[in-house]
Amino acid sequence: MTKRSINQRPVKAVGLGCMSLSWGYGTLPSREYATTLLNRALDLGYDHLDTANIYGMGHNETLIGEALKGRRQEFFLATKMGIVIEGEKRGVNCRPENIRRCIDESLARLQTDHVDLYYMHRRDRDVPIEESVGAMADLIRQGKIGSIGLSEMSAETLRRAAKEHPIAAMQTEYSPWTREPEIAVLDACAELGTTFVAFSPVARGVLANGVQDAGALTDKDLRRMMPRFNLENWPANRALVDAFCEIASELEVTPAQLSLAWVLSRGEHVVAIPGTASIAHLEENIARADWTIPAEAAARIDALINERTVHGPRYSEAMQRTIDTEMFA
C-alpha cells in the first residue's frame, strides 16, 4: 500500500481507528473478537493504530496492550489525552500536571514504554496552548512519546503550537460529508509539514452505506445525538448516500473504498483512520487502498456532497462549543 509519513516515519495511507471496539456505536464486540480483529489488522498490513484514554474509559488502551502484546514493534501507536469525563459532566484538562499523569496511565494500560504520537484531544481554553505543548515536548525528551499531535483544533491554534514545538499531526473529522478542514486546516498542515489525520473518513459509516435507517440507531449510539441523523435531516442525507453509492458501483469499488480514496486524494500529507468493529470491513477498507480516484469522479462527489448539500451540522451546538475547529457560515 502507498506509504505516507507522520513525524518522518513511513505509515500506510490507511490506518485503524480503534474507538468503536470499546465505545461509541452501540453494541460492542466481545473481547475475543476485538483481539482477533486487532491481530488481523496487523496481519493485513495495517501499521498505524489510533486510540485514546477516554475510549471506554481506558478499555481501548487496555485492549490494545493485551491483544497486541509482543507485536508492539509492528505498528505506529497514537493515543490522546485531555478530555475528562466525570459522570454526566465532560470537560478538558490539558494542564502540564494532567498531561504528565495521563501519559503514565496510558503507557501502563498499553503495556509499552512509549507511544509514537501523543495528541491533545481537545483545546483547553484555560491553558495557553504553548504551555501544554511545552509539557508534551518534555515527554519527548523523556522518551515517553515520539511526537506531538493536536485534535479538533483550528489553523490558528496549530500555528501557535508549532512555534513552541513542531506538531507532527492534526486529527480532525474529514470526508465528503464533513468539509470544515478545507476552510484552513488542510492548507496550514501542508504549510507546516504537519500530517493531517482524517478520522471518520467514511462519515461515521454513512458513506460506507452502513446506515439505512437513522431512526433504528440504538440508544448507546453517539450518532443519535448528531443533527444529521435526526428525523428532519436524515431523508435528504440518505438521498445523497444513494447517489454516492451509484458512483461507487460505476467505478467497481465499494462506497467505503470510494470515500477513503476521495479523502486520500486531498493531499500527500493526508492519512485516514477509518474505525470498525467488523473484520469484514477491516479487510474492505485496506483492499483497494492503492486505488486512485479518477479526477472526474472526485469532481462529481464534490458537486454532490458538500457543506451546502448535507443537511444539518455535524455536532449539536453544545458539542460544537467544545471544539476549536473552523466552521462554515
Side-chain angles (χ1 to χ4, degrees):
M1 190 201 301
T2 300
K3 288 274 191 176
R4 298 193 175 178
S5 66
I6 303 176
N7 193 35
Q8 300 182 325
R9 175 166 166 181
V11 294
K12 301 287 179 61
V14 175
L16 175 63
C18 298
M19 182 187 78
S20 55
L21 297 175
S22 301
W23 177 77
Y25 295 112
T27 304
L28 300 178
S30 68
R31 202 171 194 92
E32 179 182 10
Y33 186 89
T35 296
T36 299
L37 183 148
L38 288 167
N39 279 278
R40 177 63 176 154
L42 298 190
D43 293 343
L44 287 168
Y46 283 89
D47 61 1
H48 171 199
L49 272 57
D50 181 273
T51 183
N53 62 353
I54 66 157
Y55 295 164
M57 301 305 291
H59 176 277
N60 203 245
E61 290 181 326
T62 300
L63 171 67
I64 291 170
E66 294 177 352
L68 301 179
K69 189 183 303 183
R71 304 190 70 175
R72 175 67 183 89
Q73 300 305 313
E74 297 180 38
F75 59 96
F76 182 95
L77 177 60
T79 193
K80 312 176 196 71
M81 59 73 199
I83 296 178
V84 178
I85 299 176
E86 297 177 353
E88 296 298 318
K89 295 183 179 180
R90 180 184 174 109
V92 178
N93 184 346
C94 291
R95 297 185 181 280
E97 61 271 22
N98 191 57
I99 291 171
R100 290 190 291 268
R101 177 181 61 82
C102 287
I103 187 59
D104 288 339
E105 293 173 351
S106 289
L107 292 177
R109 286 189 290 264
L110 290 162
Q111 299 191 38
T112 185
D113 62 357
H114 77 286
V115 295
D116 301 294
L117 175 60
Y118 199 41
Y119 289 98
M120 272 184 275
H121 211 156
R122 295 291 186 271
R123 180 181 174 185
D124 187 336
R125 300 181 189 277
D126 295 327
V127 181
I129 190 70
E130 294 85 355
E131 185 176 332
S132 300
V133 170
M136 297 175 81
D138 287 340
L139 299 181
I140 293 177
R141 288 186 281 270
Q142 295 167 23
K144 293 181 179 181
I145 71 174
S147 57
I148 298 170
L150 307 179
S151 176
E152 294 277 50
M153 299 191 199
S154 67
E156 179 186 359
T157 301
L158 171 60
R159 288 194 172 94
R160 283 180 53 189
K163 289 180 181 178
E164 181 70 23
H165 190 279
I167 304 301
M170 170 71 83
Q171 182 174 147
T172 295
E173 181 177 355
Y174 189 42
S175 72
W177 160 275
T178 296
R179 298 297 193 97
E180 281 81 356
E182 296 173 1
I183 299 172
V185 165
L186 269 179
D187 287 344
C189 285
E191 172 191 328
L192 295 169
T194 297
T195 302
F196 182 89
V197 180
F199 79 78
S200 294
V202 296
R204 300 187 184 275
V206 170
L207 295 183
N209 201 24
V211 183
Q212 302 299 320
D213 178 7
L217 297 173
T218 68
D219 290 341
K220 293 184 178 180
D221 194 311
L222 60 83
R223 292 171 292 190
R224 288 183 64 89
M225 305 299 293
M226 296 177 177
R228 293 177 178 178
F229 295 88
N230 66 28
L231 294 177
E232 178 183 356
N233 292 322
W234 179 247
N237 290 333
R238 180 63 229 184
L240 296 176
V241 176
D242 290 339
F244 181 84
C245 290
E246 290 180 8
I247 297 174
S249 179
E250 292 173 19
L251 296 169
E252 299 183 334
V253 294
T254 69
Q257 291 165 351
L258 179 59
S259 190
L260 289 168
W262 181 94
V263 169
L264 296 177
S265 75
R266 311 317 269 192
E268 291 298 315
H269 65 304
V270 177
V271 301
I273 50 167
T276 184
S278 160
I279 292 175
H281 291 162
L282 179 83
E283 295 170 345
E284 174 189 354
N285 289 342
I286 204 171
R288 298 295 299 275
D290 279 333
W291 178 73
T292 300
I293 184 172
E296 179 272 337
R300 288 174 64 190
I301 293 169
D302 287 340
L304 174 68
I305 306 177
N306 56 61
E307 70 278 6
R308 297 177 301 279
T309 62
V310 174
H311 285 234
R314 69 178 179 123
Y315 286 140
S316 66
E317 290 185 13
M319 182 62 74
Q320 185 64 44
R321 286 194 293 270
T322 71
I323 64 175
D324 181 43
T325 51
E326 294 86 356
M327 292 179 62
F328 289 107

